[in-house]
Amino acid sequence: MNPHSITQEELNHVYSLLDFIQASPSAYHAVQSVEKVLKAQGFKELKFEDKWSILPQGRYYVTKNGTALIAFIAGEDHPENTGFHIVGAHTDSPSFRLKPSPEISVEGRYLKLNVETYGGPILNTWLDRPLSVAGRVVLKGESILRPRSMLIHSSSPILVIPNLAIHMNRKVNEGIELNKQKDLLPLLSTLGEGLDKDGILMGHLAELLNIRSEDILDFDLFLYEFESGNVIGLNQEFVSSSRLDDLAMVHAGAWALSQVQGNEATAVLACFDHEEVGSTSKQGAASPLLAHVLERILLAQGKGREAYFQALERTFMISADMAHALHPNSGEKHDPVNKPVLNGGPVIKISANQSYTTDAESSVMFEGLCQLAKVPVQKFVNRSDERGGSTIGPISATHLEIRSVDVGNPILGMHSIRELGGVKDHLAMSKVFREFFGI
Ligand SMILES: [Zn+2]
């Protein structure tokens, strides 16, 4: 058998990822999708405002803002003896967010929406695609300080950002700068005589939710690509989809955690929001969220701060965010030696200036886990004259002084509306996480 041929198990796992991504058009929905996976495996929700009690081998999760989630399985041994085994990932992806009073009339004939860019999407990939909106709407609650939220995603492709014809844009193929305020506002509808533009979108959303549109007091709504992802390539070796960064790692982490039985160390999956915009929010990796949850796990087991600091010293975190695969048309953009490829296995990300947390020690630890899971492993380092990106690992490390490694699966077109990954890599990384959680 060709060692590069795709197995049914690998294909099934990627189809499960595509379903997961389809059900997760926004960070809110991503958290809901993870909850669904976990609840089916007996995980119980804890609330930050309640007193926690935790049983050995108990399965729990907490959410913050509906866009971040931390799940864990209490270990058989004490955390101060084993540390925590943490996989970190992020729920958000580059997109466009609706501004307040988003409806704009164009000459009384078209209705378009006012949006601002979220994170760093490759802008031109969003043009001429069926798009829709997803996120949450906020309604009146039991008191002023306790409003109610409802998740929403429009189940039809209601928007498109049209390109300008080449005849009006003769230099388009020489590279055109897209203005974020002018060129990227999505078209929603046509306007007729006497039709009031205001409230048309809210009317549509209210109808979907079966509520009155005046009940919607505010919203956090984002655009998403309506079409679902595909498995492509001559041998079904590639996966093409929106939001592989970083929902592929969220999915792999949730799958791995739900497979764990009889773990010595407490296994933790941390899914943060706002990675694409710097992580500085109460639900981002730059917040004390993870530190607080880890400490409360110990407090709930009747242990004190001394045990917490002992546990931190023994903790290891795999910060999992997608990596750059060798590009078939732009190989010169890569380091001359270290060139990860699609379907070559998980990638360890390395940077001298610490935009990744990996060091030789944590790299060896991750390689050991890959051996245990019987999957290949690759290394990525930027070409020395390319700055590259960063991720949640170094940001978490400034708040929790724990050992960690930055890894991710290789993809092409990171931050395109359609990113391209390898089918083999997804199951491979998922198995590495399972090994790590299980020991
Ligand atoms: Zn990412």
Side-chain angles (χ1 to χ4, degrees):
M1 194 174 85
N2 178 350
H4 298 294
S5 67
I6 305 298
T7 66
Q8 196 57 47
E9 188 189 11
E10 287 164 340
L11 260 186
N12 291 347
H13 198 51
V14 155
Y15 278 118
S16 146
L17 167 65
L18 290 178
D19 289 345
F20 181 89
I21 291 175
Q22 180 79 351
S24 311
S26 75
Y28 300 94
H29 294 84
V31 162
Q32 196 181 48
S33 298
V34 175
E35 281 186 83
K36 213 172 135 194
V37 172
L38 298 178
K39 274 184 178 157
Q41 298 296 328
F43 282 75
K44 291 198 172 55
E45 184 174 9
L46 297 171
K47 296 278 185 192
F48 280 104
E49 59 267 37
D50 294 341
K51 189 168 163 38
W52 294 6
S53 75
I54 287 167
L55 300 169
Q57 290 293 291
R59 301 170 157 229
Y60 309 94
Y61 70 91
V62 275
T63 65
K64 182 64 106 183
N65 187 56
T67 51
L69 177 147
I70 299 182
F72 60 93
I73 303 177
E76 283 175 354
D77 203 344
H78 302 286
E80 64 271 33
N81 296 336
T82 58
F84 297 99
H85 288 189
I86 307 170
V87 169
H90 66 90
T91 57
D92 63 320
S93 302
S95 176
F96 296 85
R97 180 183 145 121
L98 265 59
K99 290 183 173 180
S101 309
E103 288 108 340
I104 296 178
S105 158
V106 183
E107 319 225 342
R109 304 307 298 270
Y110 293 133
L111 181 62
K112 66 180 180 180
L113 297 180
N114 195 12
V115 293
E116 61 177 319
T117 314
Y118 176 80
I122 301 180
L123 298 174
N124 63 21
T125 65
W126 283 74
L127 301 177
D128 303 328
R129 303 250 179 182
L131 304 173
S132 200
V133 291
R136 72 171 171 190
V137 294
V138 177
L139 320 171
K140 196 167 171 231
E142 59 192 49
S143 70
I144 289 175
L145 295 184
R146 293 204 165 272
R148 200 157 65 87
S149 292
M150 284 176 94
L151 298 202
I152 174 123
H153 80 276
S154 180
S155 49
S156 51
I158 56 173
L159 295 162
V160 65
I161 308 171
N163 238 312
L164 187 59
I166 194 165
H167 315 85
M168 299 171 187
N169 198 13
R170 290 280 176 198
K171 296 212 157 126
V172 64
N173 291 329
E174 290 161 38
I176 290 283
E177 188 178 345
L178 293 168
N179 181 288
K180 288 178 182 168
Q181 184 60 61
K182 177 186 173 298
D183 299 316
L184 293 157
L185 305 192
L187 178 65
L188 176 67
S189 187
T190 46
L191 278 177
E193 290 281 311
L195 255 180
D196 185 10
K197 71 175 175 59
D198 292 324
I200 288 184
L201 179 69
M202 285 312 122
H204 170 71
L205 300 181
E207 210 175 293
L208 288 176
L209 290 171
N210 213 3
I211 56 176
R212 294 178 312 165
S213 74
E214 55 269 34
D215 290 340
I216 300 179
L217 304 180
D218 211 338
F219 50 81
D220 293 308
L221 292 170
F222 295 82
L223 305 191
Y224 73 92
E225 188 204 19
F226 182 75
E227 303 286 333
S228 54
N230 303 97
V231 171
I232 60 176
L234 182 63
N235 301 302
Q236 299 187 286
E237 56 268 77
F238 305 124
V239 52
S240 161
S241 174
S242 280
R243 304 186 297 285
L244 289 175
D245 175 12
D246 192 26
L247 293 186
M249 294 299 96
V250 172
H251 175 260
W255 176 86
L257 194 66
S258 68
Q259 298 263 314
V260 171
Q261 303 283 350
N263 47 314
E264 292 253 295
T266 297
V268 182
L269 172 67
C271 304
F272 298 104
D273 190 10
H274 288 151
E275 190 277 339
E276 301 294 354
V277 291
S279 296
T280 51
S281 71
K282 66 186 183 302
Q283 61 268 22
S287 75
L289 175 63
L290 178 60
H292 286 172
V293 170
L294 298 183
E295 186 169 357
R296 287 191 68 173
I297 292 173
L298 280 151
L299 293 173
Q301 296 176 42
K303 299 172 189 296
R305 284 219 108 187
E306 183 72 6
Y308 171 65
F309 288 114
Q310 285 177 280
L312 286 191
E313 204 51 33
R314 296 198 163 93
T315 292
F316 187 57
M317 171 150 131
I318 299 177
S319 158
D321 199 356
M322 301 310 260
H324 300 298
L326 175 71
H327 195 282
N329 299 334
S330 298
E332 76 286 355
K333 287 284 181 187
H334 289 259
D335 178 68
V337 177
N338 300 282
K339 302 176 180 184
V341 291
L342 296 176
N343 289 319
V347 176
I348 299 173
K349 302 192 271 187
I350 299 151
S351 155
N353 62 26
Q354 298 302 300
S355 48
Y356 305 123
T357 56
T358 311
D359 56 26
E361 213 172 76
S362 63
S363 180
V364 163
M365 290 158 79
F366 187 77
E367 285 178 69
L369 292 169
C370 290
Q371 261 171 24
L372 214 55
K374 300 188 177 63
V375 305
V377 61
Q378 316 182 79
K379 286 184 177 166
F380 173 85
V381 58
N382 280 303
R383 225 188 108 102
S384 302
D385 51 4
E386 294 280 346
R387 189 166 59 90
S390 187
T391 179
I392 53 174
I395 292 165
S396 294
T398 58
H399 297 265
L400 269 174
E401 68 284 27
I402 52 178
R403 298 172 300 165
S404 71
V405 64
D406 274 284
V407 305
N409 269 343
I411 55 169
L412 293 173
M414 188 179 285
H415 291 192
S416 166
I417 201 167
R418 291 296 274 219
E419 295 164 328
L420 189 76
V423 167
K424 289 183 114 38
D425 300 326
H426 189 55
L427 185 63
M429 185 68 98
S430 303
K431 285 182 168 173
V432 176
F433 292 168
R434 185 173 65 182
E435 292 295 341
F436 174 53
F437 283 146
I439 55 173

